[in-house]
Amino acid sequence: MRKCIIFTVNKKYLFIGSILILLIALLLFTNLSVQSLSPNTKYTVVIDAGHGGIDGGSVGKVSGISEATLNLDYAKCLQNYMQDFGFNVIMTRTTDSGLYNPFAQNKKKDDMQKRKEIVENSNADFVISIHMNSFNGSAQGAQVFYGENDEPSQFLATKIQKYFVKYLNHAKQDSKVGDYYILNAIKSPSVLVECGYLSNAKEEALLLTEDYKKEVCYSILLGVLEYLQ
C-alpha cells in the first residue's frame, strides 16, 4: 500500500513537471509566443459545456452526478487555464441552466441553435465542446471527436488526443469522426471532447477528482498550443 501511494504522488509531480517543460518549449521553439497572444492579437476560443437545464445528459453510475454538472466544472477549469495563457474565452453557459427558451416546443433544438449563435457571433478561432461519455460498464477512456471531411478540426482533435494518450490512463489511441450538431453546424474548427465514461465506476471516480480534471484540461491546452503552431 505504501509503495502504491508513493508511486501516485511521483506520477503527479512528473505530470506537472512535464507540463511546465512543454509549455516553456512551446513558447521558446514555436511561432506561438506570449507576444502573439497579446490583447491585440489573442485567439478567441468558445468553450461549450454540453447539456444543462432539463437536459442533464448522462448520469454517474455510482455518484448519480449529472453530466451537465460535470461538463460545466471541467469547462470552467479549462477556461481558467486558457485565460491564464492569454486566450480570449467565451463560454456558452456558466450556470446549470440550459440555453433554450422555456416556452420553446423543442427545447433541445432551441438550446443547440443558441450555442450555434454564440459561436457565430464570437468570431471564434476554434471551439471546444466538453462532454462525458456513457456506454457500458467496461468502456473507458477520453476521446476527441471532429466533423467528417473537416481537416482543420481533425488536426486540432489529433493534437489534443496526442496529449490525452500521453497523460491520461486508458485514453483512446486516436481521435474519431463524430456526427454531432456542434461539429456539423458551425464553420469554425470545432472538436467535441468526451473526457471519460460516467458509466464506468472506476473512471467516474477519476472524473470526480480535482487532479484528473486538471490533467484533462492541461492536456487540452497543450494540444491547442501545438495546433496553433
Side-chain angles (χ1 to χ4, degrees):
M1 175 64 73
R2 191 173 180 180
K3 289 182 180 179
C4 199
I5 293 173
I6 292 172
F7 172 77
T8 303
V9 172
N10 287 342
K11 184 175 180 182
K12 176 183 176 182
Y13 286 124
L14 282 172
F15 172 79
I16 294 172
S18 299
I19 292 296
L20 292 174
I21 292 170
L22 282 165
L23 286 175
I24 292 169
L26 283 164
L27 286 172
L28 292 177
F29 301 113
T30 73
N31 293 327
L32 185 65
S33 65
V34 172
Q35 185 175 4
S36 71
L37 291 174
S38 66
N40 294 326
T41 60
K42 69 172 67 175
Y43 293 95
T44 295
V45 53
V46 170
I47 299 178
D48 172 51
H51 304 283
I54 61 172
D55 178 16
S58 302
V59 177
K61 184 174 184 178
V62 177
S63 68
I65 191 171
S66 72
E67 178 189 354
T69 297
L70 209 50
N71 289 344
L72 183 59
D73 193 29
Y74 273 63
K76 287 182 175 179
C77 178
L78 181 59
Q79 175 190 22
N80 290 335
Y81 289 150
M82 299 200 78
Q83 285 180 334
D84 287 346
F85 208 75
F87 288 90
N88 176 39
V89 179
I90 295 173
M91 304 284 283
T92 56
R93 68 179 178 95
T94 56
T95 69
D96 292 329
S97 300
L99 303 182
Y100 50 82
N101 186 318
F103 301 106
Q105 289 187 342
N106 188 331
K107 292 181 174 59
K108 180 66 175 179
K109 182 178 179 180
D110 191 57
D111 182 89
M112 296 309 297
Q113 288 177 338
K114 292 292 194 306
R115 293 171 197 266
K116 177 184 177 182
E117 290 171 10
I118 290 171
V119 173
E120 290 177 340
N121 292 333
S122 70
N123 294 316
D125 293 289
F126 55 97
V127 180
I128 300 172
S129 186
I130 301 294
H131 288 259
M132 304 291 152
N133 219 333
S134 181
F135 184 62
N136 60 45
S138 62
Q140 61 184 339
Q143 190 167 31
V144 189
F145 293 85
Y146 57 90
E148 190 172 11
N149 299 319
D150 185 346
E151 291 186 6
S153 297
Q154 181 180 2
F155 186 58
L156 174 58
T158 300
K159 294 303 182 183
I160 295 173
Q161 193 69 41
K162 169 185 172 181
Y163 288 99
F164 278 176
V165 171
K166 188 166 186 175
Y167 292 117
L168 303 181
N169 292 332
H170 310 298
K172 306 291 187 184
Q173 286 300 307
D174 300 298
S175 55
K176 187 178 179 180
V177 171
D179 185 17
Y180 299 100
Y181 181 89
I182 197 71
L183 303 180
N184 298 330
I186 57 180
K187 296 179 181 179
S188 304
S190 309
V191 295
L192 187 145
V193 178
E194 296 279 9
C195 301
Y197 283 79
L198 287 176
S199 51
N200 182 307
K202 290 183 178 179
E203 191 151 89
E204 175 196 3
L206 269 180
L207 288 165
L208 292 172
T209 66
E210 192 72 14
D211 284 347
Y212 193 78
K213 177 176 67 178
K214 289 179 178 179
E215 289 175 1
V216 169
C217 294
Y218 270 130
S219 297
I220 294 172
L221 173 61
L222 289 173
V224 166
L225 293 176
E226 189 166 323
Y227 162 78
L228 291 174
Q229 290 182 42

